Amino acid sequence: MKKTDQFQQLLKNPSTFILPGAFDGMTARIIEETGFPAIYATGAGISNAQLGWADVGLTNATEIAQVVSWMADVTNIPIVVDADTGFGNAINMQRTVKMLERAGAAAIQIEDQVMPKKCGHFNGKSVISKEEMVGKIKAALDARIDDKLAIIARTDAVGVYGIEEALERANAYKEAGAHAIFVEAPTDMEQLLRIPKEVPGIPHIINLVEGGKTPLVSRLEAQEMGFQIMLCANTALRGAIKGAVEAMKLLHQDESQKNMNDLICSWEQRQQLFKLKEIQQLEVQYSGK
């Protein structure tokens, strides 16, 4: 089954699913092998991990497409790609969709922030008009080769104009043809409950950021509220950061790796994750020896 078809089935499944974020091929592979049904190519994570900078709109479409292609090469489950604003107007959006579809996206998330954007849980955001975003959604839909490629529409209007404007935009984006709606950074349970209720008949995403603006809930709680996707975009990234920092602190302190085993994976785990045995089998197969 194509990855686009897999993702469309996930959207129709009555059970809410967790969508963890990856920032490279390694984390994409870990997410799949842990048993999750799909991968989120996180724009914030790619900016943090690949560029070393905060999520303030510094990545470009080519950089995102390159990372997505690495993820797609080593995994067999759908990849949802954070495409930020589409990196420009509706025409830029079409080019971005084509690039990301070629790279292996099964779904593409676009948002209504002004370019350059900021992390949805940062202050000081701005949004384009509802009408401009509707045009960008339609442009994204028209640019697809595979009509099963899902377009997810995100609004950041809660932090700019409030929940009423965000709900109005969400309904407009639904009418424009989006396959799922993502209202970013609601600040309390009352707002969370209103989103699926007042924008019915379409799958919804809840984005849970540890320390962010939205209260953390469990998968079952998200399901009871009516959310189809529980996005955990940078949990893997933050786990990796903490692990690397602790390992480097110990190395700096001890000037030795002798006490490192509790902080790092084993040699065997590393080679298993990166398929050394399979590569060696292929080397034998194609060498004729």
Side-chain angles (χ1 to χ4, degrees):
M1 185 185 296
K2 293 189 302 183
K3 293 180 182 180
T4 50
D5 289 320
Q6 290 179 47
F7 188 73
Q8 290 289 348
Q9 285 197 356
L10 286 172
L11 289 180
K12 295 172 184 175
N13 193 308
S15 295
T16 298
F17 66 94
I18 297 173
L19 181 63
F23 52 86
D24 59 11
M26 177 186 72
T27 44
R29 179 171 268 162
I30 289 170
I31 288 166
E32 179 177 32
E33 295 199 358
T34 304
F36 292 100
I39 298 157
Y40 183 74
T42 159
I46 291 170
S47 183
N48 294 166
Q50 305 298 329
L51 305 186
W53 290 106
D55 182 21
V56 290
L58 296 177
T59 52
N60 61 44
T62 302
E63 291 165 339
I64 298 295
Q66 177 63 79
V67 176
V68 171
S69 72
W70 291 333
M71 294 180 184
D73 281 347
V74 297
T75 58
N76 298 297
I77 57 176
I79 301 172
V80 180
V81 182
D82 178 3
D84 288 348
T85 64
F87 305 100
N89 63 17
I91 308 306
N92 298 104
M93 176 67 74
Q94 291 202 314
R95 182 166 184 260
T96 296
V97 167
K98 290 175 182 177
M99 289 175 66
L100 295 177
E101 185 173 15
R102 287 195 299 269
I108 297 173
Q109 173 206 302
I110 59 178
E111 65 193 52
D112 59 7
Q113 278 200 56
V114 169
M115 182 181 176
K117 58 77 55 82
K118 296 180 179 180
C119 168
H121 290 253
F122 288 176
N123 295 324
K125 297 183 294 182
S126 300
V127 293
I128 61 177
S129 70
K130 176 179 65 180
E131 292 74 19
E132 182 178 354
M133 182 60 175
V134 165
K136 290 174 80 170
I137 294 168
K138 292 179 178 178
L141 291 165
D142 288 346
R144 300 170 300 162
I145 301 300
D146 182 349
D147 63 6
K148 295 295 181 66
L149 176 72
I151 301 298
I152 298 169
R154 165 176 147 178
T155 179
D156 284 70
V158 172
V160 182
Y161 298 118
I163 188 64
E164 301 296 341
E165 173 71 14
L167 293 170
E168 182 178 327
R169 285 174 177 244
N171 275 302
Y173 302 166
K174 168 188 162 185
E175 293 302 316
H179 298 93
I181 294 294
F182 177 176
V183 176
E184 174 66 305
T187 57
D188 55 44
M189 295 299 291
E190 181 182 355
Q191 290 184 354
L192 283 172
L193 288 165
R194 289 184 65 183
I195 293 166
K197 184 176 180 180
E198 298 186 34
V199 190
I202 190 168
H204 286 272
I205 295 175
I206 179 172
N207 183 25
L208 300 179
V209 178
E210 303 89 342
K213 295 180 180 293
T214 303
L216 298 183
V217 299
S218 70
R219 187 195 68 82
L220 287 176
E221 288 170 327
Q223 183 167 301
E224 288 170 0
M225 287 189 285
F227 289 93
Q228 181 65 19
I229 301 172
M230 176 175 155
L231 175 59
C232 303
N234 286 290
T235 305
L237 173 79
R238 292 169 70 171
I241 291 169
K242 184 171 183 179
V245 168
E246 292 302 315
M248 291 302 99
K249 281 183 178 178
L250 187 62
L251 181 60
H252 187 265
Q253 171 189 297
D254 291 358
E255 298 182 339
S256 168
Q257 295 152 284
K258 290 180 180 178
N259 297 317
M260 196 68 72
N261 285 345
D262 289 343
L263 293 178
I264 62 174
C265 71
S266 69
W267 171 267
E268 292 76 18
Q269 286 174 312
R270 176 186 172 194
Q271 305 315 326
Q272 182 178 9
L273 176 64
F274 296 116
K275 311 300 181 187
L276 176 61
K277 182 178 179 180
E278 288 85 344
I279 291 170
Q280 290 172 332
Q281 289 172 341
L282 290 172
E283 286 176 340
V284 171
Q285 177 182 336
Y286 293 119
S287 69
K289 297 179 182 179

